[in-house]
Amino acid sequence: MTIQLPTTSKWVNTKDLHPKFKYRLNQFFLDPRIRGRVAIVSGARSRASQQRLFDKWIRFKNGTGPKSALAANPARRLSNGFEGSYHQTQTACGLGGTAVAVDLRIIKPREISKAEVTRIMAQYGMKPTVPSEWWHFCPGLVKGKDFVWFDATYVKGDEDMDAKKMVKAENPLKVWAKAVAEARKHVLRLRSRGPHVEVLQHYLEQQGFLTGKKRKASKRDSSVDGIFGPQTRRAVIAFQRNENVLGNKMKIDGIMGPISWQALVD
């Protein structure tokens, strides 16, 4: 399986990320909701690279250098052998000389929000682990002498993955196609909830029919929450009216039935 992770620079190191982590990231970046909208701005680091970042942050903290982001001290060593940062390559906790953290950057902020990126990352088993840094994601946390992986509901085939074993999972495009095919079998209306509503909201947002509570504040995909509320109903009505103007006759009732689904998806 070929893994190609988008980065903001050729200097971003993804080679030394844990194979299981790279596998999850690959599935995430292939997701149609993410593809082309997000990239990795910082990946794996050697101890020397982490030291340079830490020194730069210390100079900024002491007022002797330019502004710099917080960086962990690579010399910090826990009793289990874990050193410095999750970005730093580790031999302890069964990580085999790999790193388990990336920083993300949204490269098309008009098309997706931070909240939506975070929500989708969680579906692929990766979460922000520093409260003040939404962009910093890890696939798990160190607990005792082990690295404990987060659950990944959208990933299959990585349960026993290690540095020497890669198992092919189902292509995310096929997963999404199945989700769409299943969603359009259902009639959705006000107060409907669940993944079928998420599919509906995604398509509406992509076509410019905003499903958020505040239309002016809503960004594309920023309001996909799986809840068919009043604004989602208004978005469906706006879509149905637009289809009627285009000559595709259907009821303007705010209910997603077979005819409305066909017009929206096809």
Side-chain angles (χ1 to χ4, degrees):
M1 179 181 182
T2 301
I3 292 181
Q4 295 180 330
L5 304 178
T7 62
T8 58
S9 165
K10 65 179 181 179
W11 304 112
V12 176
N13 178 8
T14 60
K15 177 176 66 70
D16 293 324
L17 295 174
H18 192 284
K20 185 171 181 175
F21 188 21
K22 287 195 286 187
Y23 186 80
R24 292 186 177 190
L25 285 167
N26 191 59
Q27 304 305 300
F28 167 77
F29 283 114
L30 286 173
D31 191 301
R33 298 169 292 176
I34 293 298
R35 190 168 47 189
R37 298 181 173 96
V38 182
I40 300 172
V41 69
S42 183
R45 304 168 188 161
S46 65
R47 194 179 193 282
S49 296
Q50 185 67 31
Q51 184 68 55
R52 286 193 294 271
L53 290 174
F54 178 69
D55 291 343
K56 185 178 179 181
W57 178 71
I58 290 295
R59 289 193 294 271
F60 165 66
K61 184 180 178 182
N62 293 336
T64 59
K67 185 176 181 180
S68 178
L70 175 66
N73 184 350
R76 181 193 65 167
R77 183 181 177 89
L78 303 181
S79 59
N80 58 14
F82 189 89
E83 296 180 334
S85 166
Y86 281 83
H87 280 286
Q88 194 173 323
T89 53
Q90 307 282 342
T91 56
C93 304
L95 294 176
T98 63
V100 281
V102 294
D103 294 343
L104 299 185
R105 176 179 294 171
I106 296 175
I107 55 180
K108 292 186 178 180
R110 293 185 178 181
E111 296 187 7
I112 195 166
S113 68
K114 296 174 184 177
E116 182 67 0
V117 171
T118 300
R119 189 180 70 83
I120 297 172
M121 276 290 272
Q123 293 173 339
Y124 288 94
M126 297 166 284
K127 301 177 182 180
T129 54
V130 180
S132 61
E133 299 179 352
W134 81 266
W135 57 84
H136 177 84
F137 289 87
C138 295
L141 291 171
V142 170
K143 292 186 179 180
K145 296 183 178 180
D146 300 314
F147 183 82
V148 181
W149 295 82
F150 296 137
D151 291 335
T153 56
Y154 274 41
V155 178
K156 295 180 181 179
D158 74 337
E159 294 84 358
D160 300 317
M161 189 175 294
D162 57 30
K164 297 180 180 180
K165 184 178 181 181
M166 295 290 283
V167 181
K168 186 175 181 180
E170 189 171 8
N171 189 304
L173 294 175
K174 291 183 179 179
V175 174
W176 178 249
K178 288 181 179 179
V180 173
E182 181 63 28
R184 62 188 299 177
K185 295 177 183 178
H186 296 262
V187 175
L188 303 179
R189 51 172 55 86
L190 190 63
R191 290 187 288 279
S192 294
R193 288 173 175 258
H196 308 320
V197 178
E198 287 188 25
V199 172
L200 168 63
Q201 291 172 324
H202 172 73
Y203 271 100
L204 288 170
E205 294 269 346
Q206 288 295 307
Q207 295 190 30
F209 301 100
L210 305 181
T211 61
K213 293 181 180 179
K214 297 180 180 179
R215 295 181 66 85
K216 291 183 179 179
S218 180
K219 292 181 178 180
R220 191 175 299 175
D221 263 354
S222 64
S223 304
V224 177
D225 58 7
I227 301 173
F228 197 128
Q231 184 54 47
T232 297
R233 182 175 183 274
R234 284 191 283 270
V236 171
I237 289 173
F239 164 74
Q240 291 171 332
R241 283 176 177 161
N242 186 67
E243 287 297 307
N244 275 275
V245 170
L246 295 175
N248 190 7
K249 300 301 181 182
M250 65 181 66
K251 287 184 178 180
I252 303 174
D253 55 7
I255 298 174
M256 284 301 296
I259 295 176
S260 293
W261 269 117
Q262 182 175 356
L264 182 66
V265 175
D266 297 338

